[in-house]
């Protein structure tokens, strides 16, 4: 299936890691797997998960306001606790927590009310399901874990088949009930593609909703790449998104105060879209469903920057390759306007190297101020350098200034080594 066109122009999505782990602020699932906390203590959080102030309408309004075009909710993390009323019983917040209700339906309805695309996260792995640790872990040499794989000589292929039926049943529910625009799978590293039966799972999803976008954790059946926590030095092949936390944690951790600044988030965002990707920015709601104020503040700061520079964000594609401009850039869909991002105040001029096009006009996005420009050098097929006058201090943005460079035709770049 061809990639759904909405994804490439979404630019910003919101990732939500929400589950029982928010009660005591432990790392989602991993905290008991690695021994940060005992399994018993982790699971005791079921008794105190209330979602008392869970307001998916408020979430969706916030996400839309800051310029996101999709959001992805963790419907079931590696701990196996489902956030919806699943008929394929393991653990779920409807029956096993004081929340006592389905939390996915309201999320889906609220996003669609705001015309946002619906993404649902689902972990292939389930470290609480009795049938899950029934075959060997895919990574030999790792310390054995009773949560993830069978001990040598104790494999149980029949139990594994039961687990796959459980997983397929839950995924089928998500597809049939919610018809998500995107399914964000995780946990794929614990088995091989054949063990997971990825082809059959992809067929199940697409039979129920053929327009569903699948991430790369469906392995060879994924539609796009999902690097985490660091902007890649070169763009992955094909569509992609960068998954990024606002602080250092995916879920709510009250001890983690290392929040990225709005300026840093603008830098991550512009570098990502400048290479043709989306930024999937994560929030970790507290146990009651409230998104922490520090995270709301960062979202709104990024959103204000996006609103001011929307022409350089939506309806654009990846901009100049590295070396043509000292900073990220985007290019309008008709390939006739370059948008240059400047993180620091230019002292004298902003340059573009290798530009064959004549420049019709340069202006500061957000203020409209026109800037002068001229060309120096160039020989035969090697173009000179295009110099753009530095904007005045009144035209500089607090976080990143964007210059709109209107060209005389579609972008034409010189990529050679120069005249011998």
């Amino acid at each position: 299936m061809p990639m759904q066109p909405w994804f490439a122009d979404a630019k910003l999505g919101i990732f939500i890691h929400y589950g029982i782990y928010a009660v005591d602020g432990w790392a989602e699932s991993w905290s008991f797997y690695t021994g940060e906390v005992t399994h018993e203590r982790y699971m005791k959080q079921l008794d105190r998960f209330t979602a008392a102030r869970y307001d998916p309408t408020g979430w969706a309004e916030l996400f839309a306001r800051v310029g996101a075009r999709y959001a992805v909710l963790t419907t079931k993390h590696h701990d196996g606790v489902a956030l919806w009323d699943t008929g394929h019983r393991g653990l779920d917040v409807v029956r096993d927590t004081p929340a006592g209700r389905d939390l996915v339906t309201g999320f889906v309805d609220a996003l669609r009310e705001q015309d946002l695309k619906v993404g649902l996260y689902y972990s292939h792995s389930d470290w609480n399901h009795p049938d899950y640790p029934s075959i060997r872990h895919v990574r030999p040499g790792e310390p054995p874990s009773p949560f993830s794989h069978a001990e040598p000589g104790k494999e149980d292929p029949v139990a594994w088949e039961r687990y796959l039926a459980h997983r397929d049943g839950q995924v089928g529910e998500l597809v049939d009930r919610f018809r998500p625009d995107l399914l964000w799978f995780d946990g794929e590293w614990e088995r091989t593609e054949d063990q997971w039966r990825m082809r059959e799972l992809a067929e199940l999803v697409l039979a129920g909703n053929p327009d569903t976008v699948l991430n790369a954790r469906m392995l060879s059946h994924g539609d796009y790449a999902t690097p985490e926590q660091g902007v890649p030095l070169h763009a992955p092949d094909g569509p992609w998104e960068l998954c990024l936390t606002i602080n250092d944690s995916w879920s709510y951790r009250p001890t983690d105060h290392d929040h990225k600044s709005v300026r840093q988030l603008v830098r991550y965002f512009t570098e990502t879209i400048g290479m043709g990707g989306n930024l999937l920015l994560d929030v970790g709601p507290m146990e009651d469903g409230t998104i922490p104020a520090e995270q709301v503040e960062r979202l709104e700061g990024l959103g204000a920057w996006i609103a001011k520079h929307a022409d350089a964000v939506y309806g654009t594609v990846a901009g100049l390759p590295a070396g043509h401009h000292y900073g990220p850039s985007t290019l309008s869909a008709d390939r006739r306007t370059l948008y240059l991002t400047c993180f620091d105040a230019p002292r004298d001029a902003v340059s573009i190297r290798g530009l064959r096009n004549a420049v019709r006009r340069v202006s500061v996005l957000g203020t409209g101020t026109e800037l002068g420009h001229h060309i120096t050098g160039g020989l035969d097929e090697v173009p000179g350098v295009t110099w753009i006058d530095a904007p005045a201090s009144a035209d500089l943005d607090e976080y990143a200034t964007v210059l709109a460079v209107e060209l005389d035709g579609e972008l034409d770049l010189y990529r050679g080594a120069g005249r011998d």
Side-chain angles (χ1 to χ4, degrees), residues 287-368:
E287 175 275 327
D288 65 0
T290 304
I291 298 174
E294 299 91 339
Q295 297 188 0
V296 172
E297 177 188 356
R298 267 62 172 191
L299 289 180
E300 290 183 333
L302 175 61
W305 187 92
I306 291 173
K308 181 179 177 182
H309 303 92
D311 287 348
V313 175
Y314 306 113
T316 65
V317 296
L320 297 168
H324 289 273
H325 161 64
Y326 293 107
S329 61
T330 55
L331 180 64
S332 61
D334 65 5
R335 304 186 63 81
R336 290 172 175 267
T337 303
L338 271 171
Y339 298 100
L340 309 179
T341 300
C342 304
F343 294 127
D344 301 311
R347 293 184 178 183
D348 179 49
V350 175
S351 66
I352 310 174
R353 298 190 295 173
L355 182 63
R356 287 195 176 110
N357 300 81
V359 173
R360 296 177 54 198
R361 180 175 182 269
V362 181
S363 60
V364 181
L365 207 59
T367 68

Side-chain angles (χ1 to χ4, degrees), residues 13 137 140 169 218 227 260-261 308 327 340 344 351 388 401 406:
H137 192 287
M218 284 291 289
K260 297 172 183 67
S261 66
K308 181 179 177 182
L340 309 179
D344 301 311
S351 66
I388 300 167
T401 303
E406 300 173 26

Side-chain angles (χ1 to χ4, degrees), residues 106-386:
F107 173 80
V108 171
D109 291 345
L111 290 191
R112 293 205 165 117
E113 183 66 26
Q114 294 293 326
D115 199 26
L116 300 176
K117 297 296 184 182
V118 173
L120 302 179
Y121 167 111
Y122 183 89
S123 174
H124 294 292
S125 54
D126 185 335
W127 295 334
N128 268 310
H129 196 285
D131 290 327
Y132 182 69
S134 54
I135 60 173
R136 294 307 308 278
H137 192 287
V138 75
R139 293 179 179 175
E142 287 192 354
S145 169
F147 304 115
S148 62
H149 66 287
E151 296 178 8
K154 294 186 177 180
E155 289 193 290
D156 187 345
V158 175
W160 179 245
E161 291 299 322
R162 289 198 302 266
Y163 177 73
L164 289 179
H166 168 81
R167 179 206 60 181
D168 291 351
Q170 288 197 324
V171 172
E173 286 179 337
L174 294 176
V175 173
D176 293 342
R177 292 188 196 178
F178 306 117
R179 300 190 65 80
D181 301 287
L182 184 152
L183 276 173
W184 211 105
F185 287 97
D186 200 7
E188 82 297 341
W189 67 87
E190 292 206 318
R191 302 288 187 265
T192 66
E193 184 159 337
D194 287 342
Q195 286 175 318
W196 284 125
R197 309 277 172 80
M198 287 298 195
R199 179 179 61 80
E200 292 86 346
L201 181 60
E203 289 173 350
L204 180 152
V205 171
L206 297 177
N209 185 11
D211 293 335
T212 306
V213 174
L214 305 174
N215 73 333
R217 288 142 203 227
M218 284 291 289
L219 301 176
S220 67
H221 298 279
D223 296 310
Y224 71 95
T226 56
E228 290 187 23
Q229 295 289 56
V231 179
L233 294 180
H234 61 84
D237 294 333
W240 64 283
E241 71 186 0
L242 171 66
C243 312
L244 184 73
T245 54
I246 290 179
N247 53 9
D248 293 328
S249 307
W250 295 105
S251 57
Y252 174 63
R253 301 214 71 176
T255 58
D256 183 356
H257 303 294
D258 190 19
H259 294 89
K260 297 172 183 67
S261 66
V262 173
R263 179 172 284 103
Q264 288 173 321
L265 292 176
V266 168
R267 183 180 288 259
Y268 274 107
F269 178 69
T270 54
E271 289 176 344
T272 299
I273 68 172
M275 289 195 291
N278 295 340
L279 178 63
L280 185 63
L281 188 58
D282 180 75
V283 296
M286 295 182 281
E287 175 275 327
D288 65 0
T290 304
I291 298 174
E294 299 91 339
Q295 297 188 0
V296 172
E297 177 188 356
R298 267 62 172 191
L299 289 180
E300 290 183 333
L302 175 61
W305 187 92
I306 291 173
K308 181 179 177 182
H309 303 92
D311 287 348
V313 175
Y314 306 113
T316 65
V317 296
L320 297 168
H324 289 273
H325 161 64
Y326 293 107
S329 61
T330 55
L331 180 64
S332 61
D334 65 5
R335 304 186 63 81
R336 290 172 175 267
T337 303
L338 271 171
Y339 298 100
L340 309 179
T341 300
C342 304
F343 294 127
D344 301 311
R347 293 184 178 183
D348 179 49
V350 175
S351 66
I352 310 174
R353 298 190 295 173
L355 182 63
R356 287 195 176 110
N357 300 81
V359 173
R360 296 177 54 198
R361 180 175 182 269
V362 181
S363 60
V364 181
L365 207 59
T367 68
T369 300
E370 189 165 344
L371 303 175
H373 62 278
H374 68 284
I375 297 172
T376 61
L379 179 64
D380 297 332
E381 76 278 9
V382 184
V385 175
T386 300

Side-chain angles (χ1 to χ4, degrees), residues 9-152:
D9 197 41
K11 308 306 182 187
L12 179 65
I14 305 297
F15 213 172
I16 308 103
H17 276 68
Y18 186 45
I20 66 167
Y21 33 84
V23 173
D24 290 327
W26 298 110
E28 68 294 336
S29 305
W30 287 100
S31 53
F32 75 80
Y33 187 91
T34 61
E36 179 185 357
V37 63
T38 66
H39 180 263
E40 179 183 13
R41 187 173 176 187
Y42 181 96
M43 297 311 297
K44 282 287 187 182
Q45 294 176 109
L46 285 164
D47 300 334
R48 291 173 287 129
F49 182 74
T50 67
R53 300 178 65 188
Y54 174 59
D55 178 15
T57 298
W59 284 8
E61 290 172 350
L62 170 65
F63 303 159
R65 188 167 69 249
V66 303
R69 297 292 176 86
Y70 66 110
V72 180
L73 174 66
T74 51
T75 67
K76 191 214 76 170
H77 207 268
H78 314 319
D79 62 11
V81 182
L83 298 191
W84 78 98
D85 185 10
T86 176
H88 297 270
R89 282 288 282 140
L91 294 166
D92 64 69
V93 299
V94 181
R95 300 171 182 85
D96 299 310
T97 76
R101 64 194 189 282
D102 166 23
L103 302 180
V104 178
T105 298
F107 173 80
V108 171
D109 291 345
L111 290 191
R112 293 205 165 117
E113 183 66 26
Q114 294 293 326
D115 199 26
L116 300 176
K117 297 296 184 182
V118 173
L120 302 179
Y121 167 111
Y122 183 89
S123 174
H124 294 292
S125 54
D126 185 335
W127 295 334
N128 268 310
H129 196 285
D131 290 327
Y132 182 69
S134 54
I135 60 173
R136 294 307 308 278
H137 192 287
V138 75
R139 293 179 179 175
E142 287 192 354
S145 169
F147 304 115
S148 62
H149 66 287
E151 296 178 8

